[in-house]
Amino acid sequence: MTARTPGPPHASDPPPTLLVLDDDPLPRLGRLTGRARVEHASEETLAERLPHADVLLVWDFTSHAVRHAWPGAGPRPRWVHTASAGVDHLMCPELTESDTVVTNARGVFDQPIAEYVAALVLAMAKDLPRTLELQGAREWRHREGQRVGGTRACVVGSGPIGRAIARTLKALDITTALVGRAPRTGIHGPEDLDRLIARADWVIAAAPLTEQTHGMFDARRFGVMQPSARFVNVGRGQLVVEDDLVDALAKRWIAGAALDVFEHEPLTPESPLWEVPNLIVSPHMSGDTIGWRDELGRQFVELYERWEAGRPLLNVVDKQRGYVPGR
């Protein structure tokens, strides 16, 4: 989706103020030297600096500071960009109802996450976690792995990430069904979800977090799945009722699961999730490949140059839906 942002700068105007919600390392914005007045804010200083900014770059995309600071007094930036695919961490009623344009990092994480999901599928099918455990114990124990070719997957979430996952799984000869917000060519609607996950060997959650998707994988959904099924979540942690997943694994309703995102991050050392049998835990890293931050920075600079020139922006979020509409 594209949209023209309100009031791009004129040549005679002073450089717009670009406010960055900082995270370490800082973005490389050297190409904008002399074209933007770059200022920085922390979670503590964001509220006082927002009224003076034309553009806000949410570089710290794990922070909820925007959601808390936005409702305050004074003008607000005309454009907000978050260096993440999800936008739930920054949306609040005041931002949703405003004229501010919100964009995201759509396109940066698609293939890395798809590759990570494929790695998890292969790791679980070939019992690689157990192989590593046995290696550490110097124990030779022959086992048989599962073929992934000919199995079935259901990918929930039909955005770019979900479609990349579907393409990658199909390359492994996995028959893959894609479920989106509404049915259309090649994509099933929510009404087909239970039927599809009941037949799936692999259920992959890659949906955005919305009112409709919050807690969608609960005890009932895990009960629908086959006892041999594995579940993977690379979407948002709140898609899953974690206690229900733990219970489903304990009761062997499903054979295994892998979580890369969680309701509360980071997991504390005391979290029981670390020790759940047949659960792979990874620290929200499925989309993070070498050089990913530089790619996020380049994407923002290119978007800024479009905005500066008065050209339509890309990756514009439908603030009511909570994601970038598309195929």
Side-chain angles (χ1 to χ4, degrees):
M1 179 179 180
T2 63
R4 188 174 299 277
T5 56
H10 299 289
S12 59
D13 293 339
T17 298
L18 166 59
L19 182 63
V20 181
L21 179 58
D22 284 345
D23 192 19
D24 186 40
L26 295 175
R28 297 181 180 181
L29 303 175
R31 272 169 54 184
L32 301 183
T33 300
R35 299 157 59 187
R37 178 184 175 186
V38 180
E39 298 184 353
H40 298 270
S42 64
E43 290 188 340
E44 292 74 24
T45 63
L46 180 63
E48 66 182 76
R49 294 181 181 271
L50 269 180
H52 310 290
D54 298 293
V55 179
L56 172 64
L57 168 57
V58 185
W59 191 245
D60 183 359
F61 53 80
T62 65
S63 171
H64 291 188
V66 176
R67 181 189 297 170
H68 300 305
W70 196 272
R76 289 294 180 261
R78 294 170 281 171
W79 168 32
V80 173
H81 177 78
T82 178
S84 61
V87 299
D88 52 278
H89 59 290
L90 55 87
M91 299 308 297
C92 61
E94 291 81 2
L95 175 54
T96 300
E97 296 163 8
S98 72
D99 293 331
T100 296
V101 172
V102 175
T103 57
N104 72 354
R106 177 182 173 113
V108 171
F109 301 106
D110 308 354
Q111 191 56 35
I113 292 178
E115 293 171 3
Y116 198 87
V117 169
L120 289 172
V121 166
L122 289 169
M124 288 188 279
K126 307 306 179 183
D127 199 23
L128 292 184
R130 183 63 175 153
T131 294
L132 295 175
E133 290 177 7
L134 293 170
Q135 178 182 347
R138 297 173 179 253
E139 183 175 347
W140 182 281
R141 186 183 301 178
H142 181 269
R143 285 137 27 247
E144 295 178 345
Q146 175 188 0
R147 289 186 63 175
V148 298
T151 60
R152 295 176 180 269
C154 177
V155 179
V156 184
S158 61
I161 292 173
R163 297 199 299 272
I165 292 171
R167 288 193 302 271
T168 303
L169 295 183
K170 287 176 181 177
L172 294 174
D173 195 28
I174 298 175
T175 300
T176 305
L178 197 57
V179 178
R181 180 175 179 269
R184 50 208 187 272
T185 303
I187 298 174
H188 296 268
E191 63 277 3
D192 291 334
L193 179 57
D194 287 352
R195 175 178 62 82
L196 292 170
I197 65 175
R199 303 171 58 195
D201 301 287
W202 315 98
V203 178
I204 317 297
L209 181 61
T210 66
E211 290 183 5
Q212 291 72 34
T213 62
H214 190 284
M216 67 185 301
F217 289 100
D218 56 9
R220 188 188 70 79
R221 285 258 159 76
F222 293 124
V224 168
M225 297 179 193
Q226 301 183 86
S228 59
R230 273 88 164 213
F231 173 77
V232 176
N233 185 17
V234 290
R236 307 298 285 177
Q238 293 85 350
L239 300 179
V240 178
V241 180
E242 291 177 352
D243 288 345
D244 289 357
L245 173 60
V246 171
D247 194 47
L249 289 168
K251 294 178 177 177
R252 298 186 179 180
W253 289 358
I254 60 175
L259 300 179
D260 186 56
V261 288
F262 303 86
E263 184 173 3
H264 301 291
E265 297 182 8
L267 286 186
T268 64
E270 298 76 27
S271 172
L273 292 174
W274 293 110
E275 299 181 356
V276 175
N278 299 314
L279 174 63
I280 297 174
V281 169
S282 59
H284 203 150
M285 59 179 285
S286 61
D288 301 349
T289 53
I290 296 171
W292 66 285
R293 289 185 180 274
D294 289 339
E295 189 172 354
L296 288 172
R298 286 193 297 270
Q299 181 189 56
F300 173 74
V301 168
E302 290 169 2
L303 286 173
Y304 186 93
E305 290 172 341
R306 294 181 69 96
W307 179 78
E308 181 182 49
R311 299 170 59 200
L313 276 174
L314 307 175
N315 294 3
V316 175
V317 173
D318 183 320
K319 294 186 291 183
Q320 297 293 334
R321 296 183 182 181
Y323 54 89
V324 179
R327 176 180 173 274

mmCIF file of all heavy atoms in Angstrom, residues 289-306:
data_model
loop_
_atom_site.group_PDB
_atom_site.id
_atom_site.type_symbol
_atom_site.label_atom_id
_atom_site.label_comp_id
_atom_site.label_asym_id
_atom_site.label_seq_id
_atom_site.Cartn_x
_atom_site.Cartn_y
_atom_site.Cartn_z
ATOM 1 N N THR A 289 19.294 -11.523 10.818
ATOM 2 C CA THR A 289 20.468 -12.079 10.160
ATOM 3 C C THR A 289 21.584 -11.034 10.148
ATOM 4 O O THR A 289 21.343 -9.844 10.404
ATOM 5 C CB THR A 289 20.137 -12.504 8.718
ATOM 6 O OG1 THR A 289 19.532 -11.396 8.026
ATOM 7 C CG2 THR A 289 19.155 -13.663 8.711
ATOM 8 N N ILE A 290 22.784 -11.463 9.862
ATOM 9 C CA ILE A 290 23.924 -10.544 9.858
ATOM 10 C C ILE A 290 23.651 -9.373 8.913
ATOM 11 O O ILE A 290 23.300 -9.566 7.750
ATOM 12 C CB ILE A 290 25.204 -11.290 9.445
ATOM 13 C CG1 ILE A 290 25.540 -12.363 10.487
ATOM 14 C CG2 ILE A 290 26.368 -10.324 9.267
ATOM 15 C CD1 ILE A 290 26.647 -13.305 10.074
ATOM 16 N N GLY A 291 23.765 -8.151 9.435
ATOM 17 C CA GLY A 291 23.525 -6.955 8.634
ATOM 18 C C GLY A 291 22.098 -6.470 8.632
ATOM 19 O O GLY A 291 21.776 -5.497 7.938
ATOM 20 N N TRP A 292 21.231 -7.077 9.450
ATOM 21 C CA TRP A 292 19.809 -6.712 9.386
ATOM 22 C C TRP A 292 19.555 -5.275 9.834
ATOM 23 O O TRP A 292 18.689 -4.598 9.282
ATOM 24 C CB TRP A 292 18.972 -7.691 10.208
ATOM 25 C CG TRP A 292 19.210 -7.665 11.694
ATOM 26 C CD1 TRP A 292 20.267 -8.181 12.366
ATOM 27 C CD2 TRP A 292 18.349 -7.095 12.689
ATOM 28 N NE1 TRP A 292 20.133 -7.981 13.718
ATOM 29 C CE2 TRP A 292 18.967 -7.320 13.954
ATOM 30 C CE3 TRP A 292 17.127 -6.439 12.650
ATOM 31 C CZ2 TRP A 292 18.404 -6.895 15.153
ATOM 32 C CZ3 TRP A 292 16.560 -6.018 13.852
ATOM 33 C CH2 TRP A 292 17.189 -6.245 15.077
ATOM 34 N N ARG A 293 20.314 -4.789 10.794
ATOM 35 C CA ARG A 293 20.100 -3.409 11.241
ATOM 36 C C ARG A 293 20.491 -2.408 10.153
ATOM 37 O O ARG A 293 19.823 -1.384 9.980
ATOM 38 C CB ARG A 293 20.874 -3.140 12.536
ATOM 39 C CG ARG A 293 20.282 -3.849 13.745
ATOM 40 C CD ARG A 293 21.013 -3.450 15.015
ATOM 41 N NE ARG A 293 20.467 -4.119 16.183
ATOM 42 C CZ ARG A 293 19.425 -3.680 16.883
ATOM 43 N NH1 ARG A 293 18.809 -2.565 16.517
ATOM 44 N NH2 ARG A 293 18.995 -4.324 17.946
ATOM 45 N N ASP A 294 21.559 -2.699 9.434
ATOM 46 C CA ASP A 294 21.934 -1.822 8.330
ATOM 47 C C ASP A 294 20.848 -1.803 7.259
ATOM 48 O O ASP A 294 20.561 -0.760 6.656
ATOM 49 C CB ASP A 294 23.253 -2.279 7.716
ATOM 50 C CG ASP A 294 24.444 -2.015 8.630
ATOM 51 O OD1 ASP A 294 24.326 -1.149 9.527
ATOM 52 O OD2 ASP A 294 25.491 -2.660 8.448
ATOM 53 N N GLU A 295 20.242 -2.966 7.016
ATOM 54 C CA GLU A 295 19.168 -3.018 6.027
ATOM 55 C C GLU A 295 17.962 -2.201 6.479
ATOM 56 O O GLU A 295 17.334 -1.490 5.685
ATOM 57 C CB GLU A 295 18.763 -4.470 5.777
ATOM 58 C CG GLU A 295 17.805 -4.637 4.618
ATOM 59 C CD GLU A 295 17.552 -6.084 4.251
ATOM 60 O OE1 GLU A 295 18.213 -6.978 4.829
ATOM 61 O OE2 GLU A 295 16.689 -6.320 3.383
ATOM 62 N N LEU A 296 17.648 -2.268 7.777
ATOM 63 C CA LEU A 296 16.557 -1.449 8.309
ATOM 64 C C LEU A 296 16.856 0.038 8.156
ATOM 65 O O LEU A 296 15.968 0.832 7.817
ATOM 66 C CB LEU A 296 16.324 -1.772 9.787
ATOM 67 C CG LEU A 296 15.675 -3.109 10.110
ATOM 68 C CD1 LEU A 296 15.689 -3.349 11.618
ATOM 69 C CD2 LEU A 296 14.245 -3.160 9.589
ATOM 70 N N GLY A 297 18.104 0.422 8.417
ATOM 71 C CA GLY A 297 18.488 1.824 8.258
ATOM 72 C C GLY A 297 18.382 2.285 6.824
ATOM 73 O O GLY A 297 17.878 3.390 6.552
ATOM 74 N N ARG A 298 18.850 1.455 5.877
ATOM 75 C CA ARG A 298 18.755 1.825 4.459
ATOM 76 C C ARG A 298 17.296 1.953 4.032
ATOM 77 O O ARG A 298 16.937 2.875 3.278
ATOM 78 C CB ARG A 298 19.456 0.769 3.600
ATOM 79 C CG ARG A 298 20.971 0.822 3.662
ATOM 80 C CD ARG A 298 21.595 -0.022 2.568
ATOM 81 N NE ARG A 298 21.253 -1.434 2.707
ATOM 82 C CZ ARG A 298 21.962 -2.307 3.409
ATOM 83 N NH1 ARG A 298 23.041 -1.911 4.070
ATOM 84 N NH2 ARG A 298 21.605 -3.584 3.452
ATOM 85 N N GLN A 299 16.461 1.055 4.515
ATOM 86 C CA GLN A 299 15.044 1.131 4.155
ATOM 87 C C GLN A 299 14.433 2.444 4.626
ATOM 88 O O GLN A 299 13.700 3.111 3.879
ATOM 89 C CB GLN A 299 14.279 -0.041 4.766
ATOM 90 C CG GLN A 299 12.798 -0.046 4.403
ATOM 91 C CD GLN A 299 12.015 -1.082 5.201
ATOM 92 O OE1 GLN A 299 12.036 -1.082 6.434
ATOM 93 N NE2 GLN A 299 11.315 -1.959 4.501
ATOM 94 N N PHE A 300 14.744 2.843 5.868
ATOM 95 C CA PHE A 300 14.178 4.102 6.368
ATOM 96 C C PHE A 300 14.692 5.284 5.568
ATOM 97 O O PHE A 300 13.911 6.194 5.225
ATOM 98 C CB PHE A 300 14.504 4.307 7.848
ATOM 99 C CG PHE A 300 14.082 5.671 8.322
ATOM 100 C CD1 PHE A 300 12.738 5.965 8.527
ATOM 101 C CD2 PHE A 300 15.015 6.681 8.499
ATOM 102 C CE1 PHE A 300 12.333 7.237 8.922
ATOM 103 C CE2 PHE A 300 14.619 7.948 8.901
ATOM 104 C CZ PHE A 300 13.272 8.229 9.103
ATOM 105 N N VAL A 301 15.982 5.327 5.260
ATOM 106 C CA VAL A 301 16.531 6.456 4.495
ATOM 107 C C VAL A 301 15.839 6.555 3.134
ATOM 108 O O VAL A 301 15.496 7.651 2.674
ATOM 109 C CB VAL A 301 18.059 6.309 4.342
ATOM 110 C CG1 VAL A 301 18.597 7.309 3.321
ATOM 111 C CG2 VAL A 301 18.750 6.513 5.689
ATOM 112 N N GLU A 302 15.616 5.425 2.492
ATOM 113 C CA GLU A 302 14.925 5.445 1.197
ATOM 114 C C GLU A 302 13.494 5.954 1.341
ATOM 115 O O GLU A 302 13.000 6.716 0.492
ATOM 116 C CB GLU A 302 14.944 4.046 0.589
ATOM 117 C CG GLU A 302 16.338 3.626 0.125
ATOM 118 C CD GLU A 302 16.427 2.153 -0.227
ATOM 119 O OE1 GLU A 302 15.373 1.466 -0.149
ATOM 120 O OE2 GLU A 302 17.524 1.683 -0.575
ATOM 121 N N LEU A 303 12.825 5.555 2.411
ATOM 122 C CA LEU A 303 11.477 6.072 2.650
ATOM 123 C C LEU A 303 11.513 7.576 2.930
ATOM 124 O O LEU A 303 10.650 8.332 2.454
ATOM 125 C CB LEU A 303 10.827 5.340 3.830
ATOM 126 C CG LEU A 303 10.349 3.911 3.573
ATOM 127 C CD1 LEU A 303 9.896 3.265 4.878
ATOM 128 C CD2 LEU A 303 9.201 3.893 2.566
ATOM 129 N N TYR A 304 12.501 8.006 3.708
ATOM 130 C CA TYR A 304 12.613 9.432 4.004
ATOM 131 C C TYR A 304 12.811 10.233 2.724
ATOM 132 O O TYR A 304 12.229 11.317 2.553
ATOM 133 C CB TYR A 304 13.775 9.692 4.964
ATOM 134 C CG TYR A 304 13.858 11.138 5.412
ATOM 135 C CD1 TYR A 304 13.232 11.546 6.590
ATOM 136 C CD2 TYR A 304 14.537 12.092 4.656
ATOM 137 C CE1 TYR A 304 13.278 12.877 6.991
ATOM 138 C CE2 TYR A 304 14.596 13.415 5.053
ATOM 139 C CZ TYR A 304 13.968 13.808 6.217
ATOM 140 O OH TYR A 304 13.992 15.124 6.608
ATOM 141 N N GLU A 305 13.619 9.722 1.817
ATOM 142 C CA GLU A 305 13.859 10.436 0.568
ATOM 143 C C GLU A 305 12.598 10.534 -0.273
ATOM 144 O O GLU A 305 12.375 11.535 -0.963
ATOM 145 C CB GLU A 305 14.990 9.758 -0.197
ATOM 146 C CG GLU A 305 16.353 9.958 0.485
ATOM 147 C CD GLU A 305 17.457 9.139 -0.142
ATOM 148 O OE1 GLU A 305 17.146 8.161 -0.853
ATOM 149 O OE2 GLU A 305 18.646 9.475 0.084
ATOM 150 N N ARG A 306 11.755 9.521 -0.224
ATOM 151 C CA ARG A 306 10.453 9.593 -0.899
ATOM 152 C C ARG A 306 9.583 10.669 -0.249
ATOM 153 O O ARG A 306 8.947 11.480 -0.936
ATOM 154 C CB ARG A 306 9.737 8.239 -0.841
ATOM 155 C CG ARG A 306 10.411 7.126 -1.617
ATOM 156 C CD ARG A 306 9.617 5.836 -1.508
ATOM 157 N NE ARG A 306 8.355 5.927 -2.230
ATOM 158 C CZ ARG A 306 8.164 5.495 -3.482
ATOM 159 N NH1 ARG A 306 9.160 4.923 -4.138
ATOM 160 N NH2 ARG A 306 6.993 5.622 -4.067
#
